[in-house]
Amino acid sequence: MAEITRNTIIGDILDMDSSTAPLFLEIGMHCLGCPASRGETLEQACLVHGVNPDDLIAKLNAHINGK
């Protein structure tokens, strides 16, 4: 599976592994179904929500690689 980076599109992450959705929801990203949010990069979404992108990237990659 591909590694998630700051430039990975949120919709691509969710399509790759839908079980990542709760990780977004727990940091306040409740707009996952919105077409605009699905087109944002991970970094863009983190900036809007005041989240450190490096922390979320590490958490997402650990989740995906731990399967």
Side-chain angles (χ1 to χ4, degrees), residues 16-66:
M16 186 182 343
D17 185 342
S18 62
S19 73
T20 59
L23 299 176
F24 289 104
L25 296 174
E26 71 185 33
I27 61 167
M29 291 184 187
H30 298 283
C31 53
L32 296 178
C34 172
S37 71
R38 286 188 56 93
E40 289 182 323
T41 66
L42 188 63
E43 182 173 39
Q44 290 169 325
C46 285
L47 289 173
V48 168
H49 292 278
V51 174
N52 182 324
D54 295 324
D55 292 343
L56 182 56
I57 290 165
K59 197 172 202 179
L60 288 165
N61 281 316
H63 173 80
I64 290 173
N65 292 326

